Amino acid sequence: MARGGLDSEIARLKHRDVRQRRRAIRVLFDTDMPRALEGFVPLLNDKDAWFRSKALEAHRKWAPKQGVESLRILATHSWLDARRCAANLLGDFSQDTTEIALLLIEDDDLTCARKAAEALLRGKDAAEFAGTFQTHTDSAIRRLAVLSKGANAEHRAAALHDGNQGVCEAALQAVVDNGESLSEDSMKEMLIRGLNTAPVSYTHLTLPTKA
């Protein structure tokens, strides 16, 4: 589609006639030109749920091709579905998504926060966030942190004493996978708490030698 034709279809997204707007959406989706995304941004605030859903569909379709900044409008939107859409798209970008993920990690919605944590723990500052998330209020984020590439032996050892069983079991698996030692005190604590260590075999654990 020529530039003029694309611009005309984008303009029709604001037409008073609902039929014209719906036709423009079909044409733009069929044409599949990422620049059309700009015309869908106002539809995030449309009174009609169908048009709002198409705005999200357009972002899922084209935002990864338009760059990380295209997620900002979603990540800061008052509509929860928009913020969740941004969070779910963080893993679809080849560029660094830290700036957007930092907006979403503060979201009250756990889906947004957890997806943001995943992105931050995959990024260049994974080690920093692995430490920060050790004390996060959400146990799922603490579990992500201890299993992440940014976690170190100290993080894993501390997570063995986490109040959440799932975090402890994840830490134990990470300790074994990394060939690290497990103190006798930690071993006793896990046995007392009845942690599920399957499929971990204690023969794979190296106990420190006593002085």
Side-chain angles (χ1 to χ4, degrees):
M1 180 182 289
R3 182 181 182 87
L6 179 64
D7 289 339
S8 295
E9 293 300 332
I10 291 175
R12 281 208 301 165
L13 292 175
K14 299 178 181 179
H15 202 284
R16 290 183 180 181
D17 188 338
V18 172
R19 291 170 299 180
Q20 292 288 330
R21 294 167 66 197
R22 286 177 179 263
R23 182 180 181 281
I25 286 175
R26 288 196 300 270
V27 171
L28 290 170
F29 277 160
D30 288 344
T31 305
D32 194 17
M33 297 187 71
R35 191 173 72 79
L37 180 61
E38 65 187 65
F40 285 82
V41 171
L43 297 184
L44 291 168
N45 301 310
D46 200 277
K47 292 182 293 184
D48 189 321
W50 187 84
F51 285 107
R52 293 198 303 273
S53 72
K54 290 301 177 182
L56 294 184
E57 185 177 341
H59 278 82
R60 287 190 287 266
K61 186 179 182 68
W62 293 315
K65 299 175 183 177
Q66 288 295 87
V68 176
E69 193 60 27
S70 64
L71 291 184
R72 187 177 297 276
I73 186 68
L74 296 178
T76 57
H77 205 281
S78 59
W79 184 25
L80 176 57
D81 284 0
R83 301 198 306 278
R84 284 184 173 178
C85 181
N88 285 320
L89 284 171
L90 288 172
D92 292 350
F93 288 81
S94 57
Q95 309 111 299
D96 180 56
T97 59
T98 297
E99 190 172 343
I100 303 299
L102 286 172
L103 295 174
L104 292 164
I105 194 66
E106 301 297 333
D107 203 291
D108 291 335
D109 179 68
L110 286 177
T111 296
C112 291
R114 289 170 181 174
K115 286 294 184 179
E118 286 182 13
L120 293 169
L121 291 167
R122 285 194 304 265
K124 57 184 176 62
D125 298 318
E128 174 189 345
F129 291 113
T132 300
F133 294 156
Q134 268 195 298
T135 56
H136 199 280
T137 55
D138 180 45
S139 62
I141 289 180
R142 298 199 303 275
R143 185 177 185 279
L144 287 171
V146 76
L147 291 174
S148 73
K149 67 176 185 179
N152 58 31
E154 183 179 341
H155 296 149
R156 290 185 281 272
L160 288 169
H161 306 285
D162 193 280
N164 179 270
Q165 182 168 324
V167 176
C168 292
E169 291 172 355
L172 176 59
Q173 183 67 64
V175 165
V176 173
D177 289 346
N178 285 276
E180 295 161 356
S181 63
L182 184 72
S183 71
E184 290 184 62
D185 287 341
S186 294
M187 174 76 85
K188 289 176 182 177
E189 180 181 342
M190 285 186 291
L191 291 172
I192 291 171
R193 292 177 62 178
L195 295 179
N196 177 21
T197 58
V200 179
S201 169
Y202 286 111
T203 60
H204 296 137
L205 303 179
T206 304
L207 297 178
T209 304
K210 291 184 177 179

